[in-house]
């Protein structure tokens, strides 16, 4: 049975107030990608197809994973694995412009601000949670449905192209992972928001593609960031 490993990209840079500025791996993100690559090498995917989104943080993570894990070939890019523009989303549905967001808004990075304050990661996450929920509920705009349907279509096509004894590795983002896993679990919108909230950088979500369809085996596995690698664990 083919297995599909969905890997969230490594941590992107702090302090960016545009989606383009956020689209660069931090040094920590590169190290996370190396550790994820070593973990995938341990799992030994069979003749894997490697796919990623077209965003720089996804492509760079994929290239590091291919090199570290010794996977064959180069990653194939498909924009349907791309993340939504979270800064634009908060601006449209959260009543907040990018210039008004705290300096760590792009990453949700931990700060010394009081928990729940607008300057801390909890405040930023609360803004994103509300905006994401509103986007999903806005059936007139339809953007969430297009986003989620595109990701689901990319997954179905990938799974259909995997023969027996062949696996896949996909480097994508937290919103895509939440959309796909939410659909596989028949989760309500609040459940999808909750999945998105806890996505760990360079964590691995594993699916099985069988004759009866695609099944979720593990979500957000980040055991490779425990023990002496605990300091590498980040959520944004």
């Amino acid at each position: 049975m083919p297995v599909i490993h969905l890997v969230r990209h490594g941590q992107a840079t702090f302090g960016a107030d545009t989606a383009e500025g956020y689209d660069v791996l931090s040094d920590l993100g590169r190290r996370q990608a190396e550790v994820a690559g070593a973990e995938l090498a341990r799992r030994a995917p069979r003749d894997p197809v490697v796919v990623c989104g077209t965003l720089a943080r996804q492509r760079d993570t994929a290239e590091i994973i291919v090199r570290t894990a010794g996977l064959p070939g180069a990653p194939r890019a498909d924009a349907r694995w791309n993340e939504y523009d979270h800064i634009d989303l908060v601006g449209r549905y959260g009543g907040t412009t990018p210039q008004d967001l705290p300096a760590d808004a792009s990453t949700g990075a931990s700060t010394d601000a009081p928990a729940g304050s607008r300057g801390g990661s909890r405040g930023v996450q609360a803004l994103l949670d509300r905006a994401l929920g509103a986007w999903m509920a806005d059936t007139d705009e339809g953007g969430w449905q297009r986003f989620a349907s595109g990701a689901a279509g990319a997954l179905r096509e990938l799974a259909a192209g995997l023969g027996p004894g062949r696996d896949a590795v996909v480097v994508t983002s937290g919103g895509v992972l939440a959309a796909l896993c939410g659909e596989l679990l028949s989760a309500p919108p609040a459940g999808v928001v909750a999945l998105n909230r806890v996505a760990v950088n360079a964590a691995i979500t594993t699916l099985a593609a069988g004759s009866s369809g695609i099944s979720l085996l593990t979500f957000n596995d980040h055991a490779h960031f425990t023990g002496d690698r605990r300091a590498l664990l980040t959520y944004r």
Side-chain angles (χ1 to χ4, degrees):
M1 180 183 300
V3 171
I4 301 172
H5 299 289
L6 305 178
V7 185
R8 190 185 179 204
H9 64 77
Q11 183 198 63
T13 49
F14 284 3
D17 60 3
T18 65
E20 292 78 11
Y22 174 60
D23 197 21
V24 179
L25 284 185
S26 66
D27 290 341
L28 176 57
R30 292 182 175 278
R31 177 59 183 145
Q32 290 168 336
E34 291 173 347
V35 173
E39 172 60 20
L40 286 168
R42 187 189 67 81
R43 299 186 186 194
R46 301 163 297 175
D47 188 22
V49 176
V50 183
V51 185
C52 62
T54 65
L55 300 175
R57 61 188 183 273
Q58 297 170 336
R59 295 196 315 268
D60 290 348
T61 298
E63 289 170 0
I64 293 169
I65 285 174
V66 165
R67 182 174 67 251
T68 305
L71 303 181
R76 184 179 76 229
D78 182 338
R80 292 176 296 177
W81 295 104
N82 285 4
E83 183 65 294
Y84 55 78
D85 184 338
H86 62 290
I87 294 178
D88 175 69
L89 193 68
V90 170
R92 285 190 290 131
Y93 292 99
T96 304
T97 66
Q99 291 75 22
D100 293 332
L101 289 171
D104 69 338
S106 301
T107 59
S110 178
T111 70
D112 293 330
S117 74
R118 194 147 174 241
S121 62
R122 293 186 186 182
V124 172
Q125 187 62 56
L127 286 173
L128 180 58
D129 286 355
R130 288 196 295 271
L132 183 57
W135 188 38
M136 295 172 69
D138 188 355
T139 55
D140 290 337
E141 195 271 350
W144 169 261
Q145 187 58 46
R146 287 193 298 273
F147 171 78
S149 295
L155 177 61
R156 286 193 300 270
E157 289 179 22
L158 176 63
L162 296 174
R166 191 169 200 197
D167 299 327
V169 174
V170 182
V171 177
T172 183
S173 293
V176 174
L177 291 166
L180 293 175
C181 292
E183 178 176 317
L184 291 171
L185 296 171
S186 299
V192 175
V193 172
L195 291 171
N196 185 72
R197 184 186 306 125
V198 299
V200 168
N201 290 120
I204 302 172
T205 292
T206 303
L207 313 176
S211 57
S212 60
I214 300 172
S215 301
L216 177 63
L217 298 180
T218 64
F219 169 71
N220 206 35
D221 181 1
H222 54 280
H224 43 294
F225 297 130
T226 56
D228 60 358
R229 296 197 182 101
R230 191 182 306 277
L232 298 177
L233 189 148
T234 60
Y235 292 86
R236 297 289 176 265

